[in-house]
Amino acid sequence: VLVSGGACNTGGWRTSTYHRDNNTEHVHHVSTKVPSKNQTKLANGETEVHHRPKRGWIWNQFFVLEEHMGPEAQYVGKLHSNSDKGDGSVKYILSGEGAGTIFIIDEVTGDIHATKSLDRERKTHYVLHAQALDRNTKEALEPKSEFIIKVQDINDNAPKFPDGPFVAMVPEMSEVGTSVLQVTATDADDPTYGNSARIVYSILQGQPYFSVDPKTGIIRTALANMDREAREHYTVVIQAKDMAGQVGGLSGSTTINITLTDVNDNPPKFPQKNYQLYVPESAQVGKPVGKIKANDEDLGINADIKYSIINSEGANMFSISTDRDTREGILSLKKPLNYEKKKSYTLHIEGMNTHVDPRFSYLGSFKDTATLKITVGDVDEAPVFSMDYYIMEVYENAPIGTEVGTVTAQDPDIKNSPVRYYLDIKEEGERYFKIDESHGIIRTIQPLDREDMPWHNITVMASDVDNPSLLSHVPATVQVLDVNDNPPEIATQEEGIVCESSRPGQVIQTVTAMDKDDFANGQRFSFALPSHLPVNPNFTLKDNEDGTASIIARRRRFSHLTQELYELPIVVWDNGEPSLSGTSTLTLRVCPCQRHGRVRMCQGEAFLSSAGLSTGALIAILLCIVILLAIVVLFITLRRSKKEPLIISEEDVRENVVTYDDEGGGEEDTEAFDIIALRNPAAAEELKFRRDVRPEARQHCGPPRTCQSPALELDEVDVHEFIKQRLVEADTDTSVPPYDSLQTYAYEGQGSPTGTISPLDSPGTQSEQDYNYLDDWGPEFQKLAELYEEAESEIMT
């Protein structure tokens, strides 16, 4: 087989001749440059031919140029079989990718042509199959074999920047060679073949400020100290060219917009060195009075400025702060201005950057100063009082027109206008004072009572005669001093309690006194009963000489039934100058008391009021109780009415159920059963089988009034066991009728823990006895104990 191919890698033609016999295939390769892979060049210059087993085809790669624009089909190569004798009996067939459409073959000669222009960037190679057939017999002369046609690249694609255009930033004042951005171009041509995809970068626009690395595409600064304040934006055009930049190469370009970012390389500057400002003396403390601003060409935090007053004259009277939005210095007052004392101030103001970059310290200090002269303006001011607050004193009950005190005010202006005084009439309440308009003397216009109002707060106003609209105010407080003009009286208005069992000399109550006057005149008191009244037979009074007095009983046995209320007048003196006295009447109520003086109950009203219940509340509680009782009764009645009878009608006769209606026999029924069996279960043993016979009453009598029942002689037994025995007997008794019966037993028990209180068996002689144990029995025995104690006390007396 002879195979010829065009456009090989060596750029020339290559011819192979094959000799074939039955078993061995001899291949002779002839090359103008180097031996082929099937030959070995010997030392004498001859070529040794390699022998391989049976093989009908040997294929080389075919190459075809892309973008062929000729008028005729492009020749690719030739297929030839050694079975072809040139008589046209061999038919060549081509199949695979593009066979018949892109690639065609001459069936007789085996020549292959490309009928269309190919693009390597779309498809780099085609895989085809060749076969040689006998034209007459259609038999395969050679087996089907595969070969490849590669599309050979030409430089038909220019470099491109897929991500362009670009935006980049670099700080101003950067050093030469500072990296800004790296750009990368792509080329669709084959990078493995020739220089079609070998790209070189160059700068078309942006010099001399920036440069680009020809191999990497890194853009760098090329000029030192580029100042943003001078120029901020730059446009750079970068070109990418293939064929290693040689003539004839294709190129593409992109644009990079570079912005210089700010650094703090400019100090603040005041537009001028001297400023003037007018401030009226009426300006309020803490309020802004002026502004000043230093300019900074930087941006953002690099332009932040802090203002300060660096001389003491200005710093004592003024303060300055920075407005973050406008970066202005706001000047404010620290103290009030006074034109009459100082008419001008000089301020040295400094503006300094707050964020200083140490890299640019060589440029100098990043601050600036300016001088501000402030002129204080004269303003007609209101009068000024000599004090900020006045406190005055006056005695109560002083005559009308009494002088309380004096206020003074003066016009601070140079002209020193006369001053007029007024009291603020807008204050609510009754007026007690007046003021002299010319001299500021405050006097009373009505008597004052310390016990009614010990302090008076007033507001005094002053104005210039020349300008009444300018007013100043000052508060004044008048303290009313005390005089002894109130008699003392008993401190409590409540009733005292006198127990019915009180004894002579017993302290009924301790009373104290009070005085509306202050500590000096009303702290010590003396007590006595009125001297013009006869001696009180019931009570006396003892002065304890400590501001208290004790009420003492003079007799015993008070009774609330005889007299419930007693009134005791008491005279109280104070130690004031002059001394005053007052008589108060104390009401004493007689009440039954428990032992040790505890009040048991005085009256219904006292009990109810101590419980904190009003009449309306009691009525509401009683009404609720009545309603609840009515609901309970109604509920019980409804439940009983809903119970079904055991026997519906008299005709309904059932087994072992007998219906009868029998009225009891009254007192005769008491003879039906001997109740003594429950009172003395032990004595009834002999009667347990004859309960239908009335037992005989047996008594054991001795001396008169000492007859006792046998039940008292026998030992007490368990009633529960007794009832269980009776139940067993009733179940086993065969003499009773054949129906159920109900038996009721009641057991009262024996003896009493308290014994008898009858005096019949008491000794006839009188003896002292302690009745305290009666308190433990309950409140119903307390009255009895009191009667016994009183009776014993009278006998002893």
Side-chain angles (χ1 to χ4, degrees):
V1 179
L2 178 63
V3 181
S4 298
C8 298
N9 286 334
T10 58
W13 290 92
R14 180 178 177 183
T15 304
S16 300
T17 304
Y18 298 81
H19 300 281
R20 182 177 183 183
D21 54 21
N22 293 331
N23 295 321
T24 306
E25 179 179 78
H26 302 277
V27 183
H28 299 277
H29 298 277
V30 180
S31 179
T32 58
K33 293 187 178 179
V34 295
S36 68
K37 296 181 181 179
N38 297 322
Q39 298 177 0
T40 302
K41 188 173 183 180
L42 300 177
N44 55 8
E46 298 182 357
T47 301
E48 179 183 1
V49 180
H50 295 266
H51 300 277
R52 294 187 300 177
K54 283 186 176 181
R55 180 79 180 266
W57 300 90
I58 291 180
W59 303 105
N60 291 329
Q61 283 187 345
F62 292 106
F63 294 88
V64 58
L65 289 175
E66 67 170 336
E67 306 294 344
H68 178 69
M69 306 302 292
E72 297 180 356
Q74 184 180 3
Y75 179 73
V76 178
K78 183 180 182 64
L79 300 179
H80 187 72
S81 174
N82 57 2
S83 300
D84 188 0
K85 304 302 182 180
D87 55 0
S89 61
V90 178
K91 180 180 180 180
Y92 297 96
I93 298 175
L94 189 64
S95 62
E97 295 179 341
T101 57
I102 300 175
F103 302 103
I104 59 176
I105 188 170
D106 190 320
E107 295 179 351
V108 178
T109 63
D111 293 332
I112 302 173
H113 290 81
T115 61
K116 295 182 179 180
S117 177
L118 302 180
D119 189 356
R120 190 203 65 85
E121 285 71 38
R122 292 186 178 181
K123 192 171 180 63
T124 60
H125 65 278
Y126 296 85
V127 180
L128 295 96
H129 300 86
Q131 190 175 13
L133 300 178
D134 189 305
R135 189 179 297 275
N136 298 320
T137 62
K138 306 299 183 182
E139 294 180 358
L141 300 177
E142 300 288 350
K144 182 183 291 188
S145 297
E146 180 181 289
F147 67 96
I148 298 174
I149 299 178
K150 286 190 175 181
V151 181
Q152 191 174 15
D153 183 51
I154 64 173
N155 189 18
D156 59 341
N157 290 280
K160 295 181 180 180
F161 293 90
D163 299 329
F166 300 90
V167 175
M169 291 182 293
V170 64
E172 64 172 332
M173 309 298 289
S174 297
E175 297 179 357
V176 175
T178 302
S179 176
V180 179
L181 179 69
Q182 182 178 14
V183 294
T184 303
T186 60
D187 196 318
D189 293 326
D190 188 359
T192 63
Y193 178 75
N195 295 326
S196 298
R198 185 179 177 185
I199 299 174
V200 174
Y201 300 95
S202 61
I203 184 168
L204 300 181
Q205 179 181 338
Q207 294 176 331
Y209 307 104
F210 300 95
S211 64
V212 63
D213 189 299
K215 294 182 179 181
T216 62
I218 298 177
I219 302 172
R220 303 178 185 275
T221 58
L223 188 64
N225 298 329
M226 286 190 292
D227 192 0
R228 184 199 65 83
E229 289 74 27
R231 181 178 177 181
E232 184 176 4
H233 301 287
Y234 294 84
T235 300
V236 177
V237 178
I238 300 297
Q239 181 190 67
K241 189 174 183 180
D242 59 13
M243 298 299 292
Q246 297 177 4
V247 177
L250 302 179
S251 64
S253 62
T254 187
T255 301
I256 302 97
N257 294 313
I258 301 177
T259 302
L260 298 182
T261 59
D262 184 63
V263 297
N264 190 9
D265 59 339
N266 293 280
K269 293 291 183 181
F270 286 100
Q272 56 193 60
K273 289 298 182 181
N274 296 287
Y275 296 86
Q276 290 186 352
L277 180 65
Y278 173 84
V279 180
E281 62 174 337
S282 59
Q284 297 182 13
V285 175
K287 298 294 183 179
V289 296
K291 300 178 181 179
I292 190 171
K293 184 178 181 180
N295 298 326
D296 194 323
E297 296 180 355
D298 294 323
L299 300 176
I301 62 173
N302 296 321
D304 288 346
I305 302 174
K306 179 182 179 181
Y307 297 92
S308 59
I309 302 174
I310 58 177
N311 65 321
S312 58
E313 177 186 357
N316 291 333
M317 292 296 296
F318 298 89
S319 64
I320 190 169
S321 60
T322 304
D323 189 324
R324 293 185 177 273
D325 296 329
T326 63
R327 294 189 173 92
E328 294 176 327
I330 309 300
L331 202 64
S332 302
L333 266 179
K334 292 175 64 176
K335 298 178 181 179
L337 297 175
N338 192 331
Y339 173 81
E340 288 72 26
K341 293 183 178 180
K342 191 173 181 62
K343 296 178 175 58
S344 64
Y345 295 88
T346 300
L347 280 64
H348 298 298
I349 299 177
E350 179 183 78
M352 180 176 62
N353 281 142
T354 56
H355 300 84
V356 179
D357 193 334
R359 295 179 301 170
F360 307 104
S361 59
Y362 65 89
L363 297 177
S365 61
F366 283 75
K367 60 184 178 180
D368 194 18
T369 58
T371 301
L372 174 63
K373 183 176 181 180
I374 296 178
T375 301
V376 180
D378 187 17
V379 177
D380 194 2
E381 300 175 87
V384 178
F385 285 93
S386 60
M387 299 175 62
D388 295 333
Y389 191 85
Y390 290 88
I391 298 178
M392 307 174 183
E393 296 177 348
V394 62
Y395 281 100
E396 63 177 331
N397 302 325
I400 297 175
T402 300
E403 181 178 339
V404 177
T406 303
V407 297
T408 57
Q410 186 176 3
D411 184 9
D413 297 325
I414 298 178
K415 59 182 179 181
N416 195 12
S417 175
V419 177
R420 292 290 180 265
Y421 301 94
Y422 311 91
L423 292 181
D424 190 356
I425 59 176
K426 295 181 181 179
E427 295 180 349
E428 298 180 359
E430 191 175 359
R431 296 176 58 85
Y432 295 90
F433 307 96
K434 66 178 180 179
I435 189 170
D436 186 282
E437 293 185 357
S438 301
H439 303 89
I441 301 174
I442 300 175
R443 302 178 185 274
T444 60
I445 57 176
Q446 58 176 311
L448 304 177
D449 187 357
R450 189 201 66 87
E451 290 71 32
D452 181 36
M453 186 180 296
W455 296 88
H456 294 267
N457 295 317
I458 59 176
T459 301
V460 181
M461 301 183 298
S463 66
D464 290 342
V465 175
D466 298 338
N467 190 357
S469 62
L470 294 177
L471 292 175
S472 58
H473 303 74
V474 67
T477 298
V478 179
Q479 181 182 8
V480 181
L481 302 178
D482 183 57
V483 297
N484 192 17
D485 59 343
N486 291 279
E489 58 184 8
I490 297 299
T492 179
Q493 299 295 329
E494 299 180 356
E495 296 179 347
I497 302 300
V498 179
C499 291
E500 291 183 338
S501 59
S502 298
R503 294 182 172 84
Q506 180 178 347
V507 176
I508 302 300
Q509 185 178 354
T510 299
V511 296
T512 59
M514 64 178 183
D515 194 327
K516 294 181 180 180
D517 295 323
D518 64 6
F519 177 84
N521 294 323
Q523 182 63 22
R524 299 293 300 274
F525 302 99
S526 301
F527 302 86
L529 296 178
S531 59
H532 63 279
L533 296 179
V535 177
N536 193 315
N538 302 312
F539 306 99
T540 185
L541 187 69
K542 177 185 177 182
D543 191 349
N544 297 325
E545 297 182 355
D546 59 353
T548 64
S550 299
I551 301 174
I552 302 175
R554 303 189 64 178
R555 67 181 183 88
R556 69 168 57 245
R557 297 194 63 182
F558 293 89
S559 175
H560 73 283
L561 300 177
T562 304
Q563 183 175 349
E564 184 178 6
L565 297 177
Y566 291 89
E567 292 185 351
L568 182 65
I570 300 176
V571 181
V572 186
W573 289 272
D574 61 21
N575 61 339
E577 291 293 337
S579 178
L580 298 179
S581 64
T583 302
S584 301
T585 300
L586 182 65
T587 301
L588 303 175
R589 181 180 295 274
V590 179
C591 294
C593 300
Q594 296 179 355
R595 297 178 63 84
H596 311 296
R598 290 178 295 178
V599 177
R600 184 174 63 195
M601 182 179 67
C602 265
Q603 59 182 7
E605 292 79 358
F607 173 76
L608 294 178
S609 58
S610 65
L613 299 176
S614 63
T615 305
L618 289 176
I619 295 175
I621 293 174
L622 293 177
L623 182 60
C624 292
I625 294 174
V626 171
I627 293 175
L628 291 175
L629 291 176
I631 293 174
V632 171
V633 171
L634 180 60
F635 178 72
I636 295 175
T637 304
L638 292 176
R639 289 194 61 183
R640 289 182 177 178
S641 64
K642 290 182 179 180
K643 291 183 179 180
E644 297 182 358
L646 296 177
I647 303 301
I648 300 176
S649 64
E650 295 182 357
E651 290 77 9
D652 187 6
V653 180
R654 302 183 183 182
E655 185 179 2
N656 294 334
V657 179
V658 177
T659 302
Y660 65 94
D661 187 6
D662 188 12
E663 185 176 352
E667 295 180 357
E668 296 178 358
D669 288 345
T670 60
E671 303 297 333
F673 181 75
D674 187 9
I675 198 67
I676 197 172
L678 283 180
R679 295 176 179 172
N680 187 11
E685 286 296 324
E686 60 186 25
L687 301 177
K688 63 182 178 180
F689 295 108
R690 296 301 306 273
R691 280 179 273 108
D692 58 334
V693 178
R694 180 178 180 182
E696 295 181 0
R698 294 177 295 176
Q699 295 181 347
H700 301 277
C701 298
R705 296 185 297 179
T706 62
C707 185
Q708 296 181 354
S709 172
L712 300 176
E713 297 177 357
L714 299 176
D715 295 333
E716 183 178 359
V717 297
D718 190 357
V719 177
H720 181 64
E721 294 295 331
F722 170 72
I723 293 177
K724 288 176 62 177
Q725 294 177 9
R726 287 291 180 262
L727 179 61
V728 174
E729 293 172 5
D731 292 339
T732 58
D733 192 358
T734 60
S735 62
V736 298
Y739 51 80
D740 294 338
S741 63
L742 177 65
Q743 299 181 7
T744 304
Y745 300 93
Y747 180 66
E748 296 181 356
Q750 300 177 359
S752 173
T754 60
T756 178
I757 62 174
S758 173
L760 297 178
D761 296 334
S762 304
T765 61
Q766 300 290 340
S767 63
E768 293 185 0
Q769 187 173 356
D770 187 9
Y771 298 98
N772 292 334
Y773 66 92
L774 294 178
D775 292 341
D776 301 332
W777 293 2
E780 59 270 14
F781 291 95
Q782 293 181 0
K783 186 64 178 178
L784 184 62
E786 294 176 1
L787 293 176
Y788 272 106
E789 287 183 351
E790 291 180 1
E792 183 179 357
S793 176
E794 290 178 356
I795 293 174
M796 294 299 295
T797 302

